[in-house]
Amino acid sequence: MDYLVLGRTLLQQGQSHQALQHFLDGLALAQSEQSNEAAYWLAIADIVHDSGQFERALSLHQHALALADSAAQSCSAYLGLAADLWAMGQETVAYPLQAQALAFPALQDDAILLVQSARLYQLQQQWPAALAQLERAARQVADSDSLVLHWSILSLYLRINAPLDLPAAIDRASAALSHAGSSDLRGLLLIKLAQASQACQQYTAAVDFYQAAMRHSAQHKKPQRPRRLRDVEFKLQQTTSDIEIDLLRLKNAQQDEQVRWLESATYRDAVTGLHNLRYLEARWPTLLAQAIDQPSLCVLHLGVDQSTYLREVMGEAKSNDCSVRITRVLQDALPEGTELIAGGQLVFKLILPNSSADLANALIEQIQQQIAQLDFSDLPEALTLSMGGTIYQQGDTVDVLQLRADLALYLAMRHGAGAVVWEMAA
């Protein structure tokens, strides 16, 4: 028995609990045969994600990535990780993983991967992109296995209010409906078809679909069980699923290290790869303690004078390119031990332990010279950095230090391109 194929078929028919059981059975068999487990972990992780358990899904997707032995499995893992992180509010970390997944050529010819990418686009509220992926996936699977896809496609058409293309989607879903049999999914698809027909002002068809949905409901109404029994069964089912997943997680200690790697990635800027403000916030207690022992901490804030023009006129791609090129100059120029931070919006922060204003000024001159040598001939004027700095004074807090550096940078950018201003405690 191919547990993976059967489980995926059940998923496409809307029977996620039965599908999960087949994936678990298949995983147990793969472990006993010492064959590759990645496909089962990926399928289980997606079900866990869809149930709203994003942190658990993240762990499972990361473990699956470590076991992946094909491009399709790696692509699936990256898509899953990106969706988990996006759902957890970690958009900055999710974007690079999504980009890695979209770079796989196998994506456009694999219905499963297309559905995963559509899920991610929906999380990002990119409805047209999600719709395109689902429609491509629907063309690659048999009508009998496409019912969930057609339900999702119609839902997206209704969400984005695209009546011109909706009739064709209704026709495709109606054709697939003949393969739905007597499953519960048939009734759901009939209702969605009725709603879609109504949106297209095809009122006769809408009435027909609504009536068919009511007949289906009447014919397949299940006998009502006592409420107490239903509650007991639900709790038993929920507990059993939780135990199964927890046992599987305990068998795979590798995932802990991989999750820690992902957490560390949240300390990096997606464009430059530099440490970000979140990292700096975590580092400040140590930096301030060192400054108290040896009062010689210098804080420099650097801003691109042409930042507004770059972002609003030249666009994001050019702005990002400038950020990366400036980053390289700073990395080459800075002495060991310097904290170089991406502050966002073409702003950089330098924390220089054991440094005086004189040493910092020498470094500033070196940086300005190297920036001036960069080729930005496509800009209307040379790219320049203005800088604002301050030196730690006894009793300074982190907020006071950063406020003085911010004020110095503000004054520098008002003075003119490439200006340097030092703001010292009164």
Side-chain angles (χ1 to χ4, degrees):
M1 177 184 296
D2 193 328
Y3 291 105
L4 193 62
V5 172
L6 185 54
R8 285 173 174 166
T9 300
L10 289 167
L11 266 184
Q12 291 162 348
Q13 295 172 355
Q15 303 180 55
S16 58
H17 182 70
Q18 295 90 327
L20 176 60
Q21 189 56 59
H22 280 83
F23 292 142
L24 290 168
D25 291 342
L27 180 59
L29 180 62
Q31 290 174 336
S32 66
E33 295 178 347
Q34 296 186 335
S35 57
N36 188 265
E37 307 167 15
Y40 295 105
W41 284 111
L42 288 167
I44 293 168
D46 282 346
I47 291 177
V48 172
H49 174 98
D50 291 338
S51 71
Q53 302 175 68
F54 304 125
E55 291 186 6
R56 175 177 288 182
L58 181 72
S59 299
L60 297 176
H61 276 123
Q62 183 61 20
H63 180 63
L65 179 61
L67 299 177
D69 65 355
S70 69
Q73 289 178 355
S74 297
C75 179
S76 176
Y78 283 127
L79 287 169
L81 287 167
D84 299 333
L85 289 163
W86 192 278
M88 294 163 62
Q90 301 288 339
E91 293 90 344
T92 303
V93 189
Y95 269 126
L97 295 171
Q98 182 181 14
Q100 286 182 273
L102 296 178
F104 282 92
L107 173 63
Q108 297 304 320
D109 298 315
D110 189 311
I112 294 170
L113 298 180
L114 287 166
V115 171
Q116 287 182 305
S117 65
R119 176 183 63 186
L120 182 52
Y121 282 131
Q122 288 183 77
L123 283 170
Q124 298 167 342
Q125 298 186 11
Q126 298 187 40
W127 313 120
L131 184 57
Q133 298 295 74
L134 289 175
E135 289 189 319
R136 189 180 183 101
R139 292 194 294 270
Q140 296 182 16
V141 300
D143 283 344
S144 57
D145 295 329
S146 65
L147 303 179
V148 170
L149 284 173
H150 284 294
W151 184 91
S152 300
I153 289 168
L154 291 175
S155 298
L156 278 176
Y157 270 116
L158 291 173
R159 173 181 283 275
I160 64 177
N161 191 22
L164 292 179
D165 299 319
L166 188 51
I170 292 173
D171 291 341
R172 292 192 294 268
S174 299
L177 188 65
S178 61
H179 299 275
S182 60
S183 68
D184 292 340
L185 197 56
R186 178 183 180 84
L188 295 174
L189 188 54
L190 281 166
I191 293 173
K192 190 60 68 177
L193 280 164
Q195 294 170 342
S197 299
Q198 191 172 356
C200 293
Q201 299 183 6
Q202 298 177 1
Y203 300 116
T204 302
V207 170
D208 291 341
F209 284 128
Y210 276 127
Q211 290 177 341
M214 288 189 290
R215 288 195 298 271
H216 175 84
S217 178
Q219 292 169 2
H220 300 89
K221 189 173 183 179
K222 297 179 181 179
Q224 191 77 359
R225 286 171 293 173
R227 180 173 178 177
R228 183 178 177 185
L229 179 59
R230 293 201 310 273
D231 290 344
V232 170
E233 288 181 348
F234 174 77
K235 289 179 181 178
L236 178 61
Q237 174 182 323
Q238 187 179 43
T239 303
T240 302
S241 296
D242 286 344
I243 290 173
E244 288 169 338
I245 296 295
D246 286 337
L247 286 174
L248 290 171
R249 292 181 69 203
L250 288 172
K251 292 180 181 178
N252 296 274
Q254 291 179 339
Q255 65 192 13
D256 293 334
E257 179 181 351
Q258 291 148 359
V259 170
R260 283 195 296 273
W261 174 84
L262 269 177
E263 289 172 346
S264 70
T266 65
Y267 289 124
R268 294 284 179 181
D269 176 63
V271 174
T272 62
L274 296 176
H275 284 124
N276 57 20
L277 295 175
R278 183 177 179 184
Y279 168 85
L280 180 59
E281 184 180 353
R283 284 282 293 145
W284 264 124
T286 301
L287 292 168
L288 199 61
Q290 292 172 351
I292 292 171
D293 293 338
Q294 298 178 340
S296 57
L297 179 71
C298 177
V299 180
L300 277 175
H301 289 184
L302 289 62
V304 177
D305 292 302
Q306 299 78 16
S307 59
T308 302
Y309 178 85
L310 284 168
R311 292 194 308 271
E312 298 181 2
V313 179
M314 300 298 289
E316 182 180 4
K318 184 60 181 177
S319 174
N320 290 346
D321 175 64
C322 290
S323 294
V324 171
R325 295 174 70 184
I326 293 169
T327 296
R328 291 173 185 155
V329 169
L330 296 174
Q331 288 174 324
D332 290 342
L334 295 178
E336 186 177 354
T338 302
E339 295 285 1
L340 173 57
I341 307 297
Q345 301 293 319
L346 293 166
V347 171
F348 301 86
K349 301 189 176 189
L350 306 183
I351 315 299
L352 301 160
N354 304 318
S355 179
S356 64
D358 290 339
L359 291 174
N361 279 323
L363 177 62
I364 289 170
E365 185 176 353
Q366 179 185 352
I367 292 172
Q368 297 281 40
Q369 289 175 354
Q370 293 183 16
I371 292 293
Q373 293 172 9
L374 295 177
D375 180 15
F376 288 108
S377 54
D378 53 342
L379 298 179
E381 60 183 23
L383 185 139
T384 55
L385 291 180
S386 287
M387 305 188 193
T390 190
I391 300 290
Y392 172 81
Q393 303 292 326
Q394 199 68 35
D396 279 347
T397 65
V398 171
D399 290 339
V400 168
L401 263 176
Q402 296 197 111
L403 181 60
R404 286 208 306 266
D406 282 337
L407 177 58
L409 177 58
Y410 171 76
L411 294 173
M413 298 187 82
R414 287 180 62 91
H415 278 39
V420 178
V421 170
W422 287 91
E423 183 70 14
M424 301 302 184

